[in-house]
Amino acid sequence: MVLFRKPEEAEFSMVTDHGLRRPSNVEAMQHQHRKSISNKGLTGASALTVRQSIFPITLVTILFFLWGFAYGLLDVLNAKFQNSLGITAAKAGGLQGAYFGAYLIGPPTYSGWTVRKFGYRWTFIAGLSIYGVGALMFWPSAVYRSFGGFCGSLFIVGSGLSTLETSANPFIATCGPPRLSEFRLELSQSFQAIGSVVAPLLASRVFFKETDDTDLSNVQWTYLGIAAFVFLLAVVFYFAPIPEVTDADMALQAEQSSGLTGYMDKPLKKQYKLFFGVIAQFCYVGAQVGVAAQFIKYSVESAKISDAAGSDRYAIGQGLFAIGRFAAAGLMMVVKPRWVLLVFMTGVMIFIAAAMGIQGEGGVAMLSLVLFFESCVFPTIFTLSIRGLGRHTKRGSSWIVAAVSGGALFPALTGLAADHMDYHKAMCVPLVGFFVAFAFPVYLNTVCAKELDGFRESKIGYQDEDGLAMGDIKHEERRASTMHEEKGVLPTEKENAY
């Protein structure tokens, strides 16, 4: 479909798609229970308004809290296993390896295929079902005190969560006006950060309260409750109103914004911003997980405190992480997201270097500030990387989610470094990952500024003076009608023009 020919022809080419009338955003909200949707077909969801997108985004935000909770429990379990099973820091990193290793397999294969073939709804349901099965597997693993069993269970949980992320991240980023894409994902992922704060507090105050270091029985009950909840949530998503945003919708949206962004359709192999984003995300997530996995042990070594006190310090750090996400979301309403990313990555680089050299509570404070500045990095890299992908949006999104597998590599390397040196010097491993990720916002602010700023200036999804959403078929029909009335074209002649 060619959108821009002569000025008078552009209106008609936007109204029709190979002779068929384009669906409107109202129709996109009315056809939410289709079993599957062609990824090459238009649904009308390219011009959803803020009001239309609020409920589905709120529902999907629950998923962000869910895997934030799982991720927060993972860090506590890491320290718990080290004490109860007497394993080294490097071996305990196997938990992260199992969890994040699933991200390397799922998104590029079955998860990415599912979201392109069947759409977002069924990918949500599939991810929740896999997550529930993995949670159930923790019961026998706890009974037999099997470290391998725990790793296997975490791999299944990671498979479910990676499937959810393959659908949830691009859904939030594309469901609504494009200029608010970074804000939406940042705000939704703020609730993931809240889950990461709540999980360690519940673990230390409820799940493992008054238990000795060798008692893992509460683990099985914890995950049994999680399994019941996610299976119930899968049923909710079956009946929930979830509009489908296809790659064809994103291609249309990109073409409609081309006057501002300079967009040109390119093959996937020439999407260099995407490739750089994948590398940056891999290194950033690996470094982030490396810091989180060793935070408690770092605090014990630096401040000479107990593991329980170290868990409290980690909870404070996670609280700063959540605050940072909300703060970044607010900033993005008034400051360009590419600038916000650059400032926050600069803060990460400064304070991780300081944490390596400062001892005592000061070192713990520096590492806590690293968590604060980490807050906006993942969602902002994600949304800026898929900007302008058009028909490649879902595939590109799955690649960026697959980059989360960096969390399988860096924690083990950080733990290995800690076993041979100390936890302060071991922070050099995350420092390397952060340095690679830091190059990405530098690239965005020097090479891709016009494209990114153009999407931020887009009015698609905003209502005009007649209450019609800009970029929607009804808005284009009104424009076409007005243009031909000004030229004196009769209604019958307009019908022939279509």
Side-chain angles (χ1 to χ4, degrees):
M1 179 176 62
V2 180
L3 294 185
F4 300 104
R5 304 184 186 97
K6 296 179 181 179
E8 64 273 15
E9 293 176 343
E11 303 293 342
F12 296 123
S13 61
M14 288 191 197
V15 171
T16 60
D17 181 18
H18 298 293
L20 299 177
R21 183 183 181 277
R22 253 175 48 206
S24 68
N25 58 6
V26 174
E27 293 171 295
M29 298 301 294
Q30 292 173 342
H31 296 86
Q32 299 163 332
H33 294 281
R34 287 174 286 193
K35 292 184 178 180
S36 62
I37 180 70
S38 171
N39 198 37
K40 297 182 180 180
L42 294 170
T43 67
S46 62
L48 292 176
T49 64
V50 172
R51 178 176 295 180
Q52 290 172 320
S53 62
I54 284 178
F55 181 78
I57 286 177
T58 300
L59 189 61
V60 175
T61 298
I62 296 174
L63 299 181
F64 284 99
F65 177 85
L66 188 64
W67 65 66
F69 189 89
Y71 177 67
L73 275 184
L74 176 62
D75 293 319
V76 177
L77 286 173
N78 192 342
K80 182 76 173 176
F81 280 123
Q82 284 185 253
N83 293 329
S84 63
L85 302 182
I87 59 178
T88 64
K91 188 176 179 181
L95 291 173
Q96 270 82 12
Y99 179 86
F100 289 101
Y103 280 78
L104 181 63
I105 299 174
T109 55
Y110 57 86
S111 300
W113 177 82
T114 301
V115 75
R116 294 192 300 273
K117 179 68 175 179
F118 299 103
Y120 288 117
R121 176 192 305 279
W122 287 101
T123 310
F124 289 140
I125 294 172
L128 286 167
S129 300
I130 297 171
Y131 183 10
V133 171
L136 288 176
M137 294 301 295
F138 276 95
W139 185 284
S141 300
V143 170
Y144 291 100
R145 297 178 56 81
S146 169
F147 180 75
F150 275 109
C151 288
S153 301
L154 276 172
F155 179 83
I156 299 174
V157 167
S159 297
L161 291 177
S162 66
T163 300
L164 288 174
E165 287 216 55
T166 302
S167 54
N169 284 309
F171 180 82
I172 293 288
T174 59
C175 184
R179 70 178 302 177
L180 297 177
S181 179
E182 294 88 358
F183 169 78
R184 284 195 303 270
L185 189 57
E186 194 71 46
L187 185 62
S188 292
Q189 290 223 353
S190 297
F191 290 90
Q192 179 192 26
I194 292 176
S196 298
V197 173
V198 171
L201 291 175
L202 286 178
S204 60
R205 299 291 187 267
V206 180
F207 301 150
F208 301 128
K209 184 180 181 181
E210 297 178 355
T211 61
D212 59 49
D213 287 342
T214 61
D215 186 9
L216 298 176
S217 60
N218 284 347
V219 172
Q220 61 198 58
W221 292 104
T222 301
Y223 278 96
L224 181 62
I226 292 175
F229 176 74
V230 298
F231 284 133
L232 177 62
L233 199 57
V235 175
V236 171
F237 267 85
Y238 178 80
F239 293 101
I242 303 293
E244 182 60 38
V245 187
T246 66
D247 279 345
D249 290 317
M250 294 311 298
L252 173 62
Q253 187 184 94
E255 290 177 13
Q256 289 176 321
S257 304
S258 62
L260 296 170
T261 64
Y263 167 82
M264 294 182 62
D265 182 51
K266 295 182 291 186
L268 187 60
K269 65 182 180 181
K270 292 188 177 181
Q271 301 291 346
Y272 304 120
K273 176 163 61 70
L274 170 66
F275 301 144
F276 198 171
V278 170
I279 295 171
Q281 198 76 291
F282 180 89
C283 294
Y284 163 73
V285 173
Q288 177 193 351
V289 177
V291 170
Q294 308 304 334
F295 191 101
I296 295 175
K297 292 297 182 181
Y298 173 96
S299 300
V300 171
E301 175 189 272
S302 183
K304 313 301 180 186
I305 56 179
S306 65
D307 284 347
S311 295
D312 291 338
R313 302 297 192 281
Y314 182 62
I316 293 172
Q318 289 290 78
L320 290 173
F321 184 87
I323 292 171
R325 282 228 163 133
F326 282 106
L331 277 175
M332 287 179 183
M333 294 300 291
V334 294
V335 180
K336 295 176 181 178
R338 59 185 175 89
W339 290 354
V340 176
L341 179 60
L342 181 61
V343 170
F344 273 64
M345 274 305 308
T346 301
V348 169
M349 294 295 295
I350 292 172
F351 290 107
I352 189 67
M356 292 178 62
I358 299 177
Q359 297 286 336
E361 291 285 2
V364 179
M366 294 299 102
L367 205 59
S368 298
L369 287 173
V370 170
L371 267 64
F372 174 83
F373 284 102
E374 285 177 349
S375 56
C376 84
V377 178
F378 175 86
T380 311
I381 288 179
F382 185 94
T383 49
L384 295 180
S385 296
I386 66 172
R387 282 292 200 192
L389 287 184
R391 60 191 173 93
H392 306 300
T393 298
K394 286 185 177 180
R395 188 180 297 274
S397 297
S398 67
W399 289 4
I400 300 175
V401 174
V404 174
S405 60
L409 175 64
F410 280 74
L413 294 178
T414 307
L416 186 63
D419 289 339
H420 289 81
M421 298 183 289
D422 58 45
Y423 285 95
H424 282 72
K425 294 178 181 177
M427 289 299 129
C428 67
V429 177
L431 177 63
V432 173
F434 287 138
F435 179 79
V436 176
F438 176 73
F440 186 60
V442 175
Y443 168 78
L444 294 179
N445 280 276
T446 54
V447 178
C448 306
K450 178 184 176 181
E451 175 192 5
L452 299 178
D453 293 348
F455 280 108
R456 184 172 175 81
E457 295 169 6
S458 172
K459 298 293 185 181
I460 293 175
Y462 281 78
Q463 293 181 329
D464 61 13
E465 61 275 7
D466 297 319
L468 301 176
M470 299 184 191
D472 186 52
I473 179 61
K474 292 185 178 179
H475 178 263
E476 302 301 341
E477 286 176 336
R478 175 67 62 84
R479 289 175 59 194
S481 175
T482 301
M483 182 185 70
H484 284 275
E485 286 175 0
E486 292 175 351
K487 291 185 177 182
V489 181
L490 297 175
T492 54
E493 294 175 317
K494 285 192 295 180
E495 293 173 1
N496 293 334
Y498 290 98

